[in-house]
Amino acid sequence: MATITHSTLPPEVLNHIFGFLPSRSAFPYMMEGERHSLVASSHVSRDWRAVAVPILFNELVIYCDPSDNDILAKFARFLTVASFRAPVTGEYAYTSFVRTFEIWTDSFYHGSLPFADVTAPIINIIQLFSRGQIQSMLFRFPTKCERGCCDILPLVSVVTSRMGDLRRFELHHVNENTKQASRLLAHLPPSLEKLYIEDTSLERNSLLSLDRLFRLPNIRDLTFYSLQAAITTEQLERGLAIWGPKFRRLSLIGCPALADDQIIFALARHCPNLTVLELGHPFEDPDRPVILQVSDASMCRLIDACVRLQELYCGDIASLSDAFLAHCAAHARGLKKLTILSSEMTGWGVTEVHGWAGLEELAIADVGSQRVGRIDKEFRRAVVEGCPAMKECRLGNELVVGSDT
Amino acid sequence: MSDPANITLVTMDGTTFTVPSAYLHRSKLVQDWLRSEGDKQAMEVKHVTPFVLQGVLNFCEIHAEDTSEPLADPADPTKPFEADPRDDAFRGMPDDQLLQFTMAADILQIPELVRLTAQEMASRIDGKSPDQIRAMFNPDDLAEEDVDSDNEMGEVGEEGAISK
């Protein structure tokens, strides 16, 4: 009788099994060696190795730390040798499996090392990728060396040469690196669907060039975090008109110049499938300027037009009032998570919450105030009694539904 | 023609199991067979032993009235895995039986059972050396040269681990 034999565990089942193992990127995996389950699994048999290696190298994250430069250089040599030997020996060209590539640099302080020695291993690794191979890339700019001798251009140049088929791109810590960031942004490919740009310098970044972004056809997910006046509302509005029904997510936290009725009306007009909108200030911003350019009228229009909206964050937008909250509670039927940071809203007069039948998380908080009892009692009662899906609700400074633990 | 309310499964050694068809509504293989060859007397389940098929049918009976959406992908990261106490018997079985059930779940295309057994196999693999994994599940031998090629990086790892 034929029975299952040990040699027939098919690749798709191994794929499921390995999918349940703790997930890490290839560089830390290799540092841990067989102490890591997926590396150990890749050494079990030829069949297991054929499934484990592509998973191991699907995501390659490089943490650039000059104190580990020798290790990184050795890792780069290991990958290079494997790539050149693979066509001859039939072994694995590990870098051919990489689809997600991230470079994290807290600092490029390089001690006595020449700066080029710090970036050389990373450049060597990137050059092993084929041009259309990488689908997701993250690049975190370094804080500039105090000696001012860091030339990041060679690294940026090789990164731009591998952006041909990108779908997701994240640019962190742009800060004083606007020139090189603009160089990267000028190479965004038409395939791009998701873009994240973060700048924590709190300085105006008028030099950052995003012209190309607003001509790309497939953007679905856009995050500008703390970008100060690098773009105009007119540019973003033109982009939203191009992206239209494909567009799903917009996050403009810490970008007060873009929190504007013009953008909200453009979303309502062009982007009916929007699922996430975040705008205003982050919770942790202590010196936030007052935002007054977003009206109740535009936000009510957005609620009516974007019926798939699931998450909405409004961070300290002083021009929003209980009139918007009332409309949202009655009409935002797809909403699952609503966060409003406001010192103005109390919920006064908001008792019809039937639009929130699917709402799972609600927070109406004023982090600048410790006042208790600010939230209207009738609103509080309506939320508690009229939102059957609610898992966590915080009104004012009180946890009304859910647990802190 | 067979009774449409029941289905008969035959293992390769000729052992038959007749169960309500509803038990196997999550098996894509069975559903496809019912659509294309449901007028036949019995469905052959090759490569599955009577012991393992009985266990699979027990799982299907336990979950026959579950109302959750069928799982499209056993490894779907958006569907968190929550242990179900009714499945404790599957988590407690010896390694070789677990492997057989994993295979059978794949053959019968029951995503919920694939996920259960794959998750249990992963939890047993986690933290084990290659030798220990071979002893547990006994796959084909690995060529030495494959191991050596990335043991070079294992030596690097001794100098210091980097974590995210």
Side-chain angles (χ1 to χ4, degrees), chain A residues 29 63 89 100 125 129 179 191 197 300 310 321 350 378 384:
Chain A
Y29 271 137
Y63 299 95
T89 65
T100 297
I125 290 170
F129 301 146
K179 190 174 176 184
S191 56
I197 305 177
C300 291
Q310 293 184 6
S321 74
V350 183
E378 291 303 312
V384 170

Side-chain angles (χ1 to χ4, degrees), chain A residues 20, chain B residues 71 74 79-81 111-120:
Chain A
F20 284 110
Chain B
L71 200 60
K79 306 271 186 190
F81 185 85
E112 291 77 7
L113 187 55
V114 171
R115 183 169 69 165
L116 171 66
T117 54
Q119 199 267 353
E120 180 59 26

Side-chain angles (χ1 to χ4, degrees), chain A residues 1-10 12-13 15-22 24 27-37 39-49 53 56-57 59 61 63 68 70-71 74-75 78 81 85 91-92 94 102 104, chain B residues 11-13 46-50 52 73-75 81 96 99-100 102-104 106-107 114-115 118-119 121-123 125-130 133-134 137-143 145-147 149-164:
Chain A
M1 183 189 73
T3 60
I4 299 165
T5 64
H6 290 135
S7 62
T8 54
L9 204 55
E12 65 271 20
V13 176
N15 214 40
H16 294 321
I17 293 168
F18 296 157
F20 284 110
L21 292 173
R24 300 277 289 281
F27 188 34
Y29 271 137
M30 302 308 283
M31 295 301 99
E32 291 185 11
E34 288 186 355
R35 285 170 292 177
H36 196 280
S37 305
V39 176
S41 296
S42 76
H43 291 172
V44 164
S45 77
R46 280 186 186 279
D47 290 345
W48 284 42
R49 185 169 180 75
V53 167
L56 263 171
F57 282 88
E59 180 182 294
V61 181
Y63 299 95
D68 287 330
D70 288 345
I71 299 174
K74 188 168 183 179
F75 184 58
F78 162 75
V81 169
R85 280 169 49 166
E91 296 169 39
Y92 292 100
Y94 300 104
E102 300 184 3
W104 288 88
Chain B
T11 60
M12 278 297 282
D13 67 350
K46 297 176 180 176
H47 310 304
V48 180
T49 64
V52 171
D73 175 9
F81 185 85
D96 59 339
L99 189 70
Q100 300 272 328
T102 306
M103 289 292 306
D106 180 60
I107 290 169
V114 171
R115 183 169 69 165
Q119 199 267 353
M121 282 193 72
S123 72
I125 289 169
D126 194 14
K128 302 291 194 304
S129 70
I133 297 170
R134 279 189 213 102
F137 299 115
N138 192 32
D140 290 345
D141 289 337
L142 180 72
E145 62 270 24
D146 277 356
V147 179
S149 64
D150 64 8
N151 268 352
E152 294 166 28
M153 284 312 301
E155 291 167 15
V156 175
E158 297 304 314
E159 296 170 22
I162 296 175
S163 58
K164 190 171 183 177

Side-chain angles (χ1 to χ4, degrees), chain A residues 91-204:
Chain A
E91 296 169 39
Y92 292 100
Y94 300 104
T95 49
S96 69
F97 299 113
V98 177
R99 295 293 177 272
T100 297
F101 182 61
E102 300 184 3
I103 306 171
W104 288 88
T105 56
D106 290 332
S107 165
F108 267 177
Y109 172 72
H110 48 98
S112 58
L113 275 177
F115 183 69
D117 285 2
V118 178
T119 54
I122 306 174
I123 290 173
N124 290 343
I125 290 170
I126 295 171
Q127 285 174 330
L128 297 173
F129 301 146
S130 62
R131 291 186 183 273
Q133 172 183 338
I134 302 300
Q135 296 184 355
S136 179
M137 189 183 289
L138 182 152
F139 190 96
R140 187 192 187 280
F141 280 102
T143 301
K144 281 195 171 170
C145 166
E146 58 190 18
R147 281 179 279 169
C149 56
C150 300
D151 180 10
I152 201 169
L153 180 59
L155 180 57
V156 167
S157 295
V158 75
V159 168
T160 60
S161 71
R162 299 300 188 273
M163 293 173 64
D165 205 22
L166 272 188
R167 296 191 173 183
R168 296 169 292 279
F169 187 49
E170 294 193 27
L171 210 47
H172 292 241
H173 199 250
V174 171
N175 295 24
E176 67 265 41
N177 299 289
T178 49
K179 190 174 176 184
Q180 299 304 341
S182 295
R183 183 183 292 269
L184 289 168
L185 294 168
H187 286 80
L188 294 177
S191 56
L192 196 75
E193 296 176 357
K194 176 180 177 179
L195 178 65
Y196 175 106
I197 305 177
E198 171 239 291
D199 179 343
T200 55
S201 66
L202 298 180
E203 294 173 6
R204 295 177 69 84

Side-chain angles (χ1 to χ4, degrees), chain A residues 347-374:
Chain A
W348 188 85
V350 183
T351 54
E352 293 291 337
V353 297
H354 50 270
W356 286 349
L359 192 66
E360 297 175 358
E361 292 181 52
L362 172 64
I364 299 177
D366 175 10
V367 294
S369 168
Q370 296 301 316
R371 285 177 293 167
V372 176
R374 190 175 64 85

